[in-house]
Amino acid sequence: MTHDLIIRGGTIADGSGEATFTGDIAIKGDRITEVGKVAGTASREIDAEGALVTPGWVDIHTHYDAQATWDGALAPSSWHGVTTAVMGNCGVGFAPAAPEKREWLIGLMEGVEDIPGAAMTEGLQWEWESFPGYLDALDRRSYAMDIAAQVPHGAVRGYVMGERGAKNEEASAEDIAQMAAIVEEGVRAGAVGFSTSRTFLHKAIDGEYVPGTFAKEDELFGIGHALKRAGHGVFQMTSNHKDMDREFSWMEKMARELGVTVTFNLVQTDEAPELWKKMLGLLDQAQADDLPVYAQVAGRPAGILMGWECSVHPFIAFPSWAELAALSAADRRSRVADPDFRARILAETPAALEGFGLFVTRSFEKMFVLDAGDGQAPDYEPAPEQSVAAIAKAKGVTPEEIIYDVMTANGGEGLLYFPLFNYTSGAMDPIRTMLQHPRTNIGLGDGGAHCGAICDASIPTFMLTHWVKGRARGERLPLEFVVKRQTRDTALLYGFADRGLIRPGLKADINVIDLDHLSIPAPHMVHDLPAQGRRLVQEARGYTAILKSGQVTFENGEDTGARPGGLLRGPQAG
């Protein structure tokens, strides 16, 4: 046999952004060997006639730091054609980890990323203390995709400063030197960068902000110098959203003075709905100055999902909710189906809420029906007249009545959609503009995290189902552009030059897609984490084959059991 595998006759979008073409792809081992008209034979051939063939998606913003220690599938991202994932974002992770700090690190991750603490307590094996030790533990495992890790600020601060670090006290020069040494050690051992969080939305389970949230410039630059000494590494920052323009000055300075690549989250907020435009202007200047500063943007609104099993919903402050919260999922579904219970809770007055809790649970004009069990595909770009407030007004009932009935539908598993960011105008036009900017990258899907509130790991598939073929409320985006944005562009941000393109000599990470039938059903809740922990998941339909390093990991939606992926240490030469 000349080749191990040949993909025949597919429509190839090769990740370069150039026009698609029809051709074959030959694979030997974990590498692409030929592209075009391939002669010879192979141990296996995949008929891709009529199918779209792309590089595997490279997802740069995930949180599989715990899950990677017990789960080789790394779903749901692996279901959606992701073949390389960067984790350790937002300043949270599990190394370095002193034995007495393990419980605290779990509480930090649980509070910030809404991953069940019991699942992490049962699932984590704790085979390490140092960050290199954590990488070694991951390296002993195999996965359906490659994973890369970043050194998290919160763990480093807690390790070096103890309670002072956990409570965000100012770091001394000695503290900074120790933290920088740990970061440099981790990056030299294979970490692909360092992450920090500066948003007030991120708090540990004990209510404290993520360590590093208020770090001064000397601390940030001390760590930036560590990346410079190591010779590589991205500085990832989760911004405070409304203060991004003020934060930009130190990011620009770090890129200019140290040559360190900096990436930050960019979203539209209701508090400052025009700030994203200013940030794109600052990125224009960074590009003109040839400074390595980039924004991570989302492919759709960051949407909180609300249902009876979710982390938040509009009845959470109602007195009768206390009766439901302690019940099993099955008993809860039975109780909410009772007409007497419905009448009682609808007659109640909720406890007083303020701030973010009030905004999310009472802003009915920003709530939409995502899944009512009617088999309809989820609509992530609903019009204002589809809001709960508008439906209630049209029907002459209260918003709470609409909400109750939606969440009780589908056997008690109905879901509401609350687009928290990127939806001030009630449409995705700002997202489209952000996606097209040359200094942005697609990220923020948060695979592995926000298990009870957000299910955006499907964004790589959504980029095709919505932006390429399905958008009805505005302009779409070209297929070749969308493929490039989540393959070659995301790969190169982290120095993965050996993937993200269909070229001879590069990694055989490939998706074969039935684009006509590609779809994503509504998310739903499962209890498949350790300790029967819950999480929202969303499948994909239409991936004919997903290949990682030349092996088929998923075929027609079924897991083949192949685990050719592993830990990716540092940049990879093309």
Side-chain angles (χ1 to χ4, degrees):
M1 296 296 178
T2 311
H3 312 285
D4 292 334
L5 189 149
I6 299 173
I7 300 170
R8 294 279 189 193
T11 300
I12 300 172
D14 65 5
S16 69
E18 299 297 320
T20 60
F21 59 95
T22 300
D24 308 329
I25 302 169
I27 296 168
K28 186 77 172 177
D30 66 350
R31 298 284 160 169
I32 298 167
T33 53
E34 291 184 47
V35 179
K37 183 63 177 176
V38 174
T41 57
S43 302
R44 179 181 178 187
E45 293 197 3
I46 294 175
D47 181 2
E49 185 176 353
L52 172 68
V53 182
T54 74
W57 314 132
V58 179
D59 190 338
I60 58 175
H61 197 106
T62 75
H63 292 277
Y64 289 112
D65 310 74
Q67 191 174 331
T69 69
W70 70 70
D71 175 27
L74 296 180
S77 291
S78 59
W79 300 340
H80 290 275
V82 174
T83 53
T84 302
V86 177
M87 58 189 195
N89 289 281
C90 302
V92 291
F94 297 101
E100 68 275 11
K101 282 290 183 182
R102 293 172 179 172
E103 185 176 346
W104 173 75
L105 288 171
I106 288 173
L108 181 60
M109 183 68 80
E110 181 177 13
V112 172
E113 301 299 341
D114 189 27
I115 303 172
M120 292 184 285
T121 297
E122 181 174 298
L124 281 162
Q125 299 303 307
W126 297 111
E127 302 165 23
W128 62 87
E129 179 168 337
S130 68
F131 199 86
Y134 175 64
L135 295 180
D136 290 343
L138 296 177
D139 215 0
R140 290 191 286 269
R141 293 166 167 79
S142 57
Y143 306 98
M145 65 177 77
D146 282 343
I147 54 172
Q150 298 172 103
V151 184
H153 200 172
V156 172
R157 229 177 182 264
Y159 190 82
V160 170
M161 298 175 61
E163 284 301 303
R164 292 187 300 114
K167 294 185 179 300
N168 274 294
E169 294 182 19
E170 188 171 345
S172 67
E174 183 179 354
D175 294 330
I176 294 170
Q178 290 183 44
M179 285 190 278
I182 288 172
V183 172
E184 183 177 351
E185 177 189 41
V187 172
R188 289 187 182 278
V192 296
F194 167 85
S195 73
T196 192
S197 174
R198 298 175 76 78
T199 174
F200 299 149
L201 294 177
H202 284 174
K203 292 183 179 181
I205 199 72
D206 61 7
E208 295 284 350
Y209 290 107
V210 175
T213 300
F214 308 102
K216 300 291 179 58
E217 193 170 292
D218 58 345
E219 182 174 344
L220 300 175
F221 271 72
I223 291 164
H225 277 285
L227 297 181
K228 181 180 180 180
R229 289 192 299 271
H232 73 273
V234 172
F235 195 112
Q236 186 270 327
M237 188 272 281
T238 300
S239 64
N240 196 30
H241 308 304
K242 62 181 181 180
D243 300 321
M244 292 182 289
D245 51 342
R246 292 204 295 269
E247 295 275 11
F248 196 84
S249 60
W250 68 258
M251 293 188 285
E252 187 267 350
K253 181 180 177 182
M254 182 177 289
R256 185 182 300 277
E257 295 184 1
L258 304 182
V260 170
T261 297
V262 182
T263 180
F264 66 97
N265 297 17
L266 176 59
V267 297
Q268 180 194 46
T269 69
D270 291 354
E271 289 179 281
E274 300 299 310
L275 181 56
W276 65 274
K277 297 178 182 178
K278 180 178 180 180
M279 298 307 299
L280 292 186
L282 293 173
L283 287 169
D284 285 334
Q285 187 59 54
Q287 183 179 26
D289 295 341
D290 197 26
L291 299 178
V293 183
Y294 300 85
Q296 285 189 34
V297 299
R300 69 184 183 217
I304 296 176
L305 303 183
M306 301 185 188
W308 292 119
E309 284 197 70
C310 295
S311 298
V312 64
H313 56 73
F315 289 101
I316 205 153
F318 282 57
S320 290
W321 168 247
E323 296 178 22
L324 301 184
L327 298 178
S328 69
D331 288 344
R332 189 182 302 118
R333 289 193 293 269
S334 175
R335 183 70 66 87
V336 297
D338 181 353
D340 292 337
F341 183 85
R342 178 184 185 275
R344 173 158 49 105
I345 198 169
L346 287 174
E348 294 175 348
T349 300
L353 292 172
E354 58 185 24
F356 184 71
L358 178 64
F359 171 64
V360 171
T361 60
R362 309 305 293 172
S363 298
F364 303 127
E365 74 284 354
K366 287 183 68 70
M367 293 180 196
F368 302 88
V369 179
L370 188 76
D371 178 32
D374 53 7
Q376 298 295 309
D379 184 359
Y380 288 98
E381 193 175 13
E385 59 267 24
Q386 294 173 263
S387 72
V388 164
I391 294 172
K393 183 177 180 180
K395 291 188 173 183
V397 298
T398 66
E400 288 86 354
E401 289 176 87
I402 300 296
I403 290 164
Y404 191 100
D405 293 342
V406 168
M407 296 199 307
T408 307
N410 195 22
E413 297 183 4
L415 292 174
L416 293 165
Y417 172 57
F418 188 100
L420 179 63
F421 296 133
N422 295 331
Y423 217 61
T424 303
S425 63
M428 290 196 201
D429 297 308
I431 297 176
R432 185 176 185 275
T433 300
M434 284 188 267
L435 287 169
Q436 291 180 295
H437 195 278
R439 281 305 177 97
T440 66
N441 287 99
I442 297 175
L444 312 186
D446 279 334
H450 302 296
C451 298
I454 298 172
C455 193
D456 285 346
S458 61
I459 283 178
T461 304
F462 178 82
M463 293 303 299
L464 296 179
T465 59
H466 184 79
W467 288 109
V468 171
K469 69 169 192 166
R471 191 179 190 218
R473 297 187 58 218
E475 292 183 85
R476 299 178 185 180
L477 291 169
L479 168 64
E480 295 87 348
F481 172 82
V482 166
V483 171
K484 178 176 183 286
R485 290 303 258 159
Q486 55 187 357
T487 55
R488 193 58 170 173
D489 288 351
T490 44
L492 289 182
L493 180 67
Y494 276 85
F496 306 146
D498 68 338
R499 63 198 65 206
L501 272 179
I502 295 179
R503 290 281 195 279
L506 299 190
K507 274 280 188 180
D509 296 350
I510 296 172
N511 289 323
V512 182
I513 303 167
D514 180 353
L515 186 59
D516 290 341
H517 296 97
L518 186 68
S519 65
I520 46 177
H524 60 100
M525 193 73 76
V526 297
H527 292 258
D528 63 351
L529 293 176
Q532 296 185 319
R534 66 178 168 84
R535 61 172 178 157
L536 287 159
V537 297
Q538 187 172 33
E539 291 82 5
R541 298 168 183 160
Y543 285 92
T544 303
I546 300 170
L547 281 73
K548 168 67 211 157
S549 296
Q551 296 186 41
V552 178
T553 54
F554 290 86
E555 190 163 11
N556 296 318
E558 297 296 323
D559 188 342
T560 68
R563 298 291 182 262
L567 177 69
L568 194 59
R569 294 186 188 255
Q572 305 293 308

